[in-house]
C-alpha cells in the first residue's frame, strides 16, 4: 500500500514537444549515422525519456509564426465585417441629432432647410405641385411574369433594394426588357410603374430623388392632396404610355382635380431630366383632338398650369445617349470596361454584362428621345461648335442677375486647347484633332454589311444584339467613315441598329421645323422636340430652365474598334486617349464641357435663353422664360452626404437654393420676383452663336 501511495504522489513527467519540421529533416538526413551508431550500442540500455533534451524555444516560435494566404484573407474579412457591424451598431445607437452635431462642430452652424426658413417668413401652401420623374428614377413593379419570377408579384424590379438583380439576373433582364417589335410588353410579362409619392421619393434606400423637396414643401403646409407624382413607365415611348396605361389621361385628370379642389389655383409642374421631354409631349397631347390627343382644347394649359419648372432638362438631347445606344457605355463604364474587360465584355463566368445591358436597354424606346436634336445647326460640325473656346479649368465667374454672362479677363490668360465638340464620335484621337480637310471619309450608308460568324454561334444567339447582323463589312464601314457629327449620328444609329431606330422613328424626330404650321407637325412624333413644335397658347404660364453648372460633362467621344468583334460589342470608347495636360478637356476618351455631369449647358439652357425667349415661332404667345443656374459646390465632408449646394444631375434635387426657388413659386411668387435669370455659364454667348431662324 505504501508503495502504491508513493507512486501516486510522483509528479507526471513532462512530455517532450513534437519535433519541428527542420528537426525532422535533420533526423532524416542523419538517419544513416544513427543506424551505424545503433549497431554498436545494441547491448546498451536506452536512456530514459527524462534525459531527452527539450525542443528549443526558437523552433517553437518559428512553427507558430507561419501565416498562410488563407489566414490573411480570413483575417481581412473578419476585420471588415467587425468594423461594419460596429459602425452599424453605433449608427443605430447614436441619437438622431448626433451627425448634425458633429457636422456643425466641423463646419459651423448649418442653415435652416428652405422649408423651415420660408415658413418663418410666413409662406404657405397655395399652388398644387406636380412632380414628373425622369428616366430610371421611378419604381417599377411586377404584376405578371414567367416561372422564374415566382414570388415577385408586386415586388419592385426597379428601385428599392434591387435584390433580384443578384439573385436571378437573367430573369430580371428578361422581365425588364420590352418587345423588340412593338416596344410594349413581352407575352406573359406585365411590369407597371409604382404609384404615389413613394414611386420616386427614393431611388434606393438612403438615396433620395424627390424626398428632400417633398419634405420641405410639407413644412409650409403641403400634403398628398396638394402634391401629385406623375409616375409613368419610363421605358416606353411617350405616346405608348397612353396606349398601354392611359398615363397621359391620368395626368390630365389629376391636374384638373388638383385645380378644382384647391380654389382654382393653377398647378406648378416640376419635371426632372427626361420628365422634361415627357411633359413637353404632354402639353401638346392634352390640347390635341382625339384620338391622337387628349381633347383638352387650345386653352387647357393656360387654365391649368401656372409654371413649368424644368430641372436638368435635356431639351436638345444629350451626347451621353449616343454612347449608351452605340456601345452601352458612358465615361465611367468605359473606364471599367478598359480595366476589367473580362468581366464586362466577355464570356468570363458567363456574365456577358454589356451585351445583356445592350439587349435590355435597346428595347427601351424612351432612350431614343434623348438623341441630340437640331443636327449640326445646334451641336456644330467638323470645324465649329457653339462652345468653341471653352476652358475646362474652373472659372471664378459669377453673374447672378445678368442676362448675358461676361467673359472673365485676367492677367494670367489661359489659352485653351482647341476642341472640336461638333465631332460627337471620332475613330481615333488623331481624327478628333485633325483639320477637316485632312479627314478622308468613306461613305458607310450603302455599305454591304456582310456575314458574321455570330449567326452560327449559340452564345451570340442567346444574347442577341443587332451588331450580330452587322458583319465585318459593316463594322469596317463604320470605322472608315471616321467622324460623326449630330447630323450624321442618326444615320449611324440607323445603320448599326435598324430595328431599334425603326421603332424610334415612329415616336421621335430630331430635326428643325421649317414651317411649324405644316400639318405634319401635328403628329405626336414631333411633340417632344422643342425645335419642331410650338409652346401652348398660354401667355401667363412661366417656363424655367433650372440646372447645375461647373461639372465636367460628356460632350463628344473618341472611339476605337474592340479587340474581338465577332460576338462582342465591336466598338468601345478609347480610354487611352488623353489630353496634353491636367486642364485638357479630353479625359479617358471623352471630351468634356460645362454641365451637370449628364446634360451639357447647351442642351439644358438654349431654349429658355434664346429659342423661347420673347415671342418666337416656337413660343408664339410669348410665355416668359427664365434661366436659373446653380453653381456646383461639392460637400465639404462625408457627414454632409450629397451636399446642399450640389449641381449634379440628381443631387441638385437636394440643393437648398433650387428648393427655395421652387417653394417661392409654388407659394405664389413670379420669376421676376425670384430675380429673373441667374447665370454662371456662357449660355447666352453660346446661344447667340447658333444661327437658327426664330
Amino acid at each position: 500500500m505504501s508503495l502504491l501511495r508513493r507512486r501516486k504522489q510522483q509528479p507526471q513527467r513532462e512530455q517532450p514537444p513534437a519535433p519541428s519540421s527542420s528537426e525532422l529533416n535533420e533526423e532524416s538526413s542523419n538517419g544513416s549515422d544513427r543506424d551505424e551508431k545503433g549497431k554498436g550500442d545494441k547491448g546498451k540500455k536506452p536512456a530514459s525519456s527524462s534525459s531527452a533534451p527539450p525542443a528549443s524555444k526558437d523552433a517553437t516560435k518559428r512553427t507558430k509564426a507561419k501565416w498562410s494566404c488563407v489566414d490573411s484573407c480570413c483575417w481581412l474579412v473578419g476585420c471588415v465585417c467587425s468594423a461594419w457591424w460596429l459602425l452599424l451598431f453605433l449608427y443605430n445607437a447614436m441619437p438622431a441629432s448626433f451627425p448634425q452635431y458633429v457636422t456643425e462642430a466641423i463646419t459651423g452652424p448649418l442653415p435652416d432647410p428652405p422649408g423651415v426658413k420660408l415658413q418663418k417668413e410666413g409662406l404657405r401652401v397655395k399652388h398644387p405641385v406636380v412632380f414628373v420623374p425622369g428616366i430610371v428614377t421611378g419604381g417599377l413593379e411586377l404584376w405578371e411574369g414567367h416561372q422564374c419570377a415566382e414570388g415577385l408579384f408586386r415586388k419592385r424590379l426597379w428601385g428599392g433594394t434591387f435584390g433580384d438583380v443578384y439573385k436571378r439576373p437573367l430573369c430580371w433582364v428578361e422581365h425588364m426588357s420590352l418587345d423588340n417589335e412593338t416596344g410594349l410588353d413581352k407575352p406573359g410579362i406585365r411590369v407597371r410603374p409604382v404609384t404615389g409619392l413613394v414611386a420616386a421619393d427614393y431611388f434606393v434606400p438612403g438615396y433620395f430623388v424627390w424626398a428632400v423637396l417633398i419634405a420641405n414643401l410639407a413644412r409650409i403646409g403641403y400634403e398628398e392632396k396638394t402634391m401629385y407624382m406623375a409616375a409613368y413607365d419610363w421605358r416606353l415611348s411617350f405616346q405608348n404610355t397612353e396606349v398601354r396605361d392611359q398615363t397621359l389621361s391620368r395626368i390630365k385628370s389629376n391636374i384638373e382635380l388638383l385645380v378644382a379642389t384647391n380654389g382654382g389655383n393653377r398647378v406648378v409642374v416640376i419635371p426632372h431630366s427626361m420628365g422634361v421631354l415627357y411633359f413637353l409631349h404632354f402639353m401638346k397631347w392634352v390640347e390635341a383632338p382625339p384620338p391622337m390627343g387628349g381633347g383638352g382644347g387650345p386653352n387647357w394649359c393656360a387654365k391649368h398650369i401656372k409654371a413649368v419648372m424644368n430641372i436638368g432638362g435635356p431639351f436638345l438631347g444629350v451626347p451621353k445617349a449616343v454612347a449608351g445606344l452605340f456601345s452601352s457605355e458612358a465615361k465611367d463604364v468605359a473606364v471599367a470596361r478598359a480595366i476589367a474587360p473580362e468581366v464586362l465584355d466577355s464570356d468570363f463566368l458567363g456574365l456577358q454584362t454589356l451585351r445583356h445591358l445592350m439587349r435590355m436597354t435597346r428595347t427601351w424606346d424612351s432612350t431614343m428621345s434623348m438623341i441630340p436634336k437640331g443636327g449640326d445647326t445646334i451641336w456644330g460640325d467638323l470645324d465649329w461648335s457653339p462652345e468653341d473656346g471653352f476652358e475646362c479649368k474652373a472659372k471664378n465667374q459669377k453673374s447672378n442677375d445678368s442676362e448675358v454672362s461676361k467673359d472673365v479677363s485676367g492677367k494670367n490668360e489661359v489659352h485653351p486647347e482647341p476642341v472640336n465638340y461638333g465631332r460627337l464620335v471620332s475613330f481615333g484621337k488623331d481624327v478628333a484633332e485633325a483639320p477637316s480637310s485632312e479627314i478622308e471619309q468613306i461613305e458607310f450608308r450603302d455599305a454591304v454589311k456582310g456575314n458574321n460568324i455570330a449567326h452560327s454561334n449559340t452564345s451570340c444567339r442567346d444574347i442577341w444584339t443587332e451588331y450580330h447582323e452587322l458583319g465585318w463589312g459593316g463594322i469596317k464601314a463604320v470605322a472608315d467613315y471616321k467622324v460623326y457629327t449630330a447630323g450624321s449620328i442618326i444615320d449611324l444609329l440607323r445603320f448599326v441598329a435598324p430595328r431599334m431606330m425603326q421603332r424610334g422613328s415612329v415616336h421621335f424626330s430630331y430635326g428643325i421645323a421649317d414651317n411649324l404650321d405644316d400639318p405634319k407637325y401635328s403628329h405626336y412624333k414631333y411633340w417632344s422636340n422643342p425645335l419642331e413644335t410650338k409652346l401652348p397658347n398660354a401667355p401667363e404660364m412661366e417656363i424655367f430652365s433650372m440646372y447645375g453648372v461647373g461639372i465636367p460633362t460628356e460632350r463628344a467621344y473618341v472611339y476605337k474598334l474592340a479587340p474581338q468583334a465577332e460576338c462582342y460589342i465591336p466598338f468601345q470608347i478609347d480610354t487611352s486617349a488623353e489630353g496634353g495636360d491636367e486642364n485638357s478637356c479630353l479625359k479617358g476618351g471623352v471630351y468634356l464641357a460645362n454641365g451637370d455631369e449628364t446634360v451639357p449647358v447647351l442642351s439644358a439652357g438654349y431654349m429658355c435663353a434664346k429659342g423661347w425667349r420673347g415671342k418666337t415661332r416656337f413660343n408664339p404667345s410669348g410665355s416668359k422664360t427664365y434661366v436659373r443656374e446653380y453653381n456646383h459646390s461639392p460637400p465639404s465632408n462625408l457627414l454632409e452626404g450629397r451636399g446642399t449646394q450640389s449641381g449634379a444631375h440628381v443631387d441638385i434635387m437636394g440643393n437648398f437654393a433650387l428648393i427655395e426657388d421652387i417653394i417661392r413659386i409654388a407659394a405664389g411668387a413670379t420669376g421676376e420676383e425670384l430675380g429673373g435669370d441667374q447665370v454662371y455659364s456662357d449660355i447666352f454667348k453660346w446661344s447667340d452663336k447658333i444661327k437658327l431662324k426664330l
Side-chain angles (χ1 to χ4, degrees):
M1 290 295 290
S2 59
L3 181 62
L4 287 173
R5 262 199 266 25
R6 213 174 292 122
R7 284 184 179 177
K8 285 181 183 180
Q9 289 172 1
Q10 286 179 358
Q12 289 186 346
R13 292 190 178 100
E14 187 177 323
Q15 295 296 323
S20 65
S21 58
S22 59
E23 290 173 325
L24 288 172
N25 292 336
E26 205 173 307
E27 271 190 352
S28 61
S29 64
N30 296 331
S32 59
D33 294 340
R34 285 200 302 271
D35 289 342
E36 291 297 324
K37 198 172 182 180
K39 288 178 184 178
D41 294 342
K42 274 184 181 178
K44 293 184 181 180
K45 192 177 181 180
S48 66
S49 60
S50 59
S51 63
S56 68
K57 292 182 179 179
D58 291 341
T60 306
K61 284 180 181 176
R62 283 197 302 272
T63 305
K64 291 181 179 178
K66 281 201 166 186
W67 192 260
S68 68
C69 181
V70 175
D71 295 327
S72 300
C73 292
C74 292
W75 180 84
L76 180 61
V77 170
C79 286
V80 170
C81 291
S82 300
W84 170 255
W85 285 112
L86 178 62
L87 290 172
L88 192 64
F89 171 76
L90 292 174
Y91 177 79
N92 287 285
M94 73 173 65
S97 59
F98 183 73
Q100 182 179 346
Y101 171 78
V102 175
T103 303
E104 290 183 359
I106 297 172
T107 63
L110 295 175
D112 285 336
V116 174
K117 174 186 173 183
L118 298 179
Q119 182 190 36
K120 292 176 181 177
E121 292 182 15
L123 270 65
R124 298 297 298 163
V125 55
K126 184 176 181 182
H127 294 277
V129 295
V130 177
F131 310 116
V132 187
I135 192 170
V136 310
T137 55
L140 300 174
E141 60 187 16
L142 183 70
W143 281 80
E144 181 185 0
H146 295 160
Q147 187 174 358
C148 66
E150 189 71 31
L152 296 180
F153 175 68
R154 293 207 64 199
K155 298 284 181 66
R156 287 201 183 197
L157 291 187
W158 189 272
T161 60
F162 283 94
D164 289 286
V165 179
Y166 314 110
K167 295 177 185 175
R168 30 190 149 183
L170 295 182
C171 182
W172 179 82
V173 168
E174 179 70 16
H175 285 74
M176 283 298 298
S177 301
L178 296 169
D179 188 272
N180 254 319
E181 302 296 330
T182 65
L184 296 169
D185 292 320
K186 289 183 174 182
I189 294 176
R190 281 187 296 149
V191 176
R192 297 294 181 264
V194 178
T195 57
L197 296 179
V198 297
D201 54 353
Y202 288 91
F203 178 56
V204 295
Y207 190 89
F208 70 82
V209 182
W210 295 91
V212 177
L213 177 56
I214 291 170
N216 279 277
L217 283 165
R219 292 282 191 175
I220 67 165
Y222 279 87
E223 51 188 298
E224 199 134 10
K225 68 181 181 182
T226 49
M227 293 189 286
Y228 167 60
M229 182 70 73
Y232 60 99
D233 190 336
W234 42 262
R235 302 171 302 161
L236 301 175
S237 69
F238 302 155
Q239 192 69 9
N240 273 346
T241 63
E242 175 65 15
V243 171
R244 195 193 73 179
D245 300 334
Q246 294 75 54
T247 303
L248 298 173
S249 295
R250 294 170 191 272
I251 294 173
K252 176 177 180 281
S253 299
N254 276 284
I255 289 176
E256 290 171 346
L257 179 64
L258 286 170
V259 173
T261 56
N262 285 278
N265 289 317
R266 295 172 297 156
V267 299
V268 172
V269 184
I270 311 168
H272 173 246
S273 189
M274 192 187 75
V276 168
L277 301 179
Y278 186 68
F279 195 74
L280 196 62
H281 180 98
F282 169 83
M283 287 194 293
K284 295 300 294 183
W285 173 88
V286 75
E287 294 188 344
M292 192 179 294
N299 297 316
W300 190 93
C301 290
K303 292 177 181 177
H304 294 89
I305 302 174
K306 175 193 186 295
V308 184
M309 307 191 77
N310 302 289
I311 303 174
F315 289 104
L316 302 177
V318 288
K320 210 171 188 176
V322 174
L325 293 171
F326 189 50
S327 61
S328 287
E329 290 178 296
K331 184 174 182 291
D332 297 334
V333 175
V335 172
R337 187 180 182 186
I339 294 172
E342 67 278 1
V343 175
L344 290 181
D345 205 23
S346 77
D347 293 328
F348 178 69
L349 298 180
L351 294 176
Q352 304 154 328
T353 310
L354 280 182
R355 277 180 285 160
H356 281 300
L357 183 64
M358 177 172 280
R359 183 186 70 158
M360 179 176 69
T361 56
R362 278 192 174 182
T363 67
W364 299 347
D365 289 352
S366 63
T367 58
M368 288 180 276
S369 71
M370 293 183 288
I371 294 172
K373 305 174 178 70
D376 296 355
T377 303
I378 299 293
W379 296 92
D381 55 25
L382 295 180
D383 300 308
W384 167 88
S385 71
E387 302 102 320
D388 281 348
F390 171 70
E391 299 175 21
C392 288
K393 187 176 180 180
K395 294 183 179 181
N396 296 320
Q397 176 184 354
K398 185 171 181 178
S399 175
N400 288 340
D401 299 315
S402 64
E403 189 173 278
V404 181
S405 60
K406 305 291 189 293
D407 291 333
V408 177
S409 58
K411 294 180 180 178
N412 299 323
E413 186 176 349
V414 178
H415 297 284
E417 179 183 290
V419 177
N420 299 308
Y421 284 120
R423 306 177 187 186
L424 290 186
V425 170
S426 303
F427 277 87
K429 182 185 174 185
D430 55 336
V431 174
E433 296 175 345
S436 59
S437 59
E438 297 179 7
I439 301 175
E440 183 181 351
Q441 294 178 288
I442 301 174
E443 184 56 53
F444 71 95
R445 293 171 180 85
D446 298 322
V448 178
K449 294 185 177 181
N451 296 319
N452 194 327
I453 196 170
H455 288 295
S456 59
N457 188 312
T458 306
S459 174
C460 290
R461 290 201 304 269
D462 289 344
I463 311 175
W464 178 87
T465 69
E466 293 189 69
Y467 280 132
H468 301 152
E469 299 177 359
L470 188 59
W472 289 110
I475 292 169
K476 186 176 183 302
V478 168
D480 286 346
Y481 195 72
K482 294 182 180 175
V483 61
Y484 297 83
T485 65
S488 55
I489 210 76
I490 307 298
D491 291 333
L492 170 65
L493 292 174
R494 285 175 180 153
F495 184 77
V496 300
R499 294 192 194 182
M500 178 190 76
M501 292 301 289
Q502 185 177 6
R503 291 195 322 269
S505 64
V506 176
H507 295 280
F508 304 108
S509 181
Y510 312 102
I512 300 174
D514 292 324
N515 177 16
L516 287 167
D517 295 321
D518 189 323
K520 78 173 186 178
Y521 291 110
S522 61
H523 191 274
Y524 60 76
K525 69 181 286 185
Y526 302 103
W527 291 348
S528 61
N529 182 357
L531 302 174
E532 293 182 305
T533 190
K534 299 177 185 177
L535 285 177
N537 181 27
E540 295 184 4
M541 181 180 74
E542 296 180 317
I543 299 179
F544 295 81
S545 186
M546 314 168 80
Y547 54 90
V549 296
I551 307 178
T553 302
E554 296 172 40
R555 178 63 173 81
Y557 302 90
V558 176
Y559 266 85
K560 66 177 182 180
L561 289 177
Q564 298 170 318
E566 66 182 36
C567 188
Y568 293 63
I569 297 173
F571 311 108
Q572 68 181 92
I573 295 172
D574 185 0
T575 55
S576 66
E578 293 283 349
D581 55 60
E582 61 180 9
N583 292 325
S584 171
C585 294
L586 177 60
K587 303 285 185 185
V590 180
Y591 283 102
L592 304 168
N594 198 0
D596 68 358
E597 207 170 29
T598 296
V599 183
V601 165
L602 186 68
S603 179
Y606 173 77
M607 292 310 297
C608 281
K610 187 176 181 182
W612 289 331
R613 185 59 60 106
K615 282 193 176 184
T616 70
R617 66 191 184 107
F618 303 112
N619 181 17
S621 69
S623 298
K624 289 186 177 180
T625 63
Y626 301 95
V627 176
R628 303 285 293 179
E629 295 183 344
Y630 302 87
N631 209 11
H632 176 68
S633 179
S636 58
N637 58 69
L638 290 174
L639 293 172
E640 287 189 23
R642 289 152 66 193
T644 59
Q645 301 178 63
S646 176
H649 188 64
V650 177
D651 294 354
I652 197 173
M653 304 293 281
N655 185 300
F656 278 10
L658 176 136
I659 293 172
E660 182 174 334
D661 286 348
I662 290 173
I663 294 177
R664 288 189 184 278
I665 295 296
T670 64
E672 290 296 332
E673 290 170 342
L674 282 187
D677 296 317
Q678 175 178 278
V679 177
Y680 297 91
S681 74
D682 290 326
I683 182 58
F684 287 105
K685 185 174 79 173
W686 295 341
S687 298
D688 287 339
K689 291 182 181 180
I690 296 173
K691 305 306 177 186
L692 178 64
K693 184 180 75 172
L694 298 175

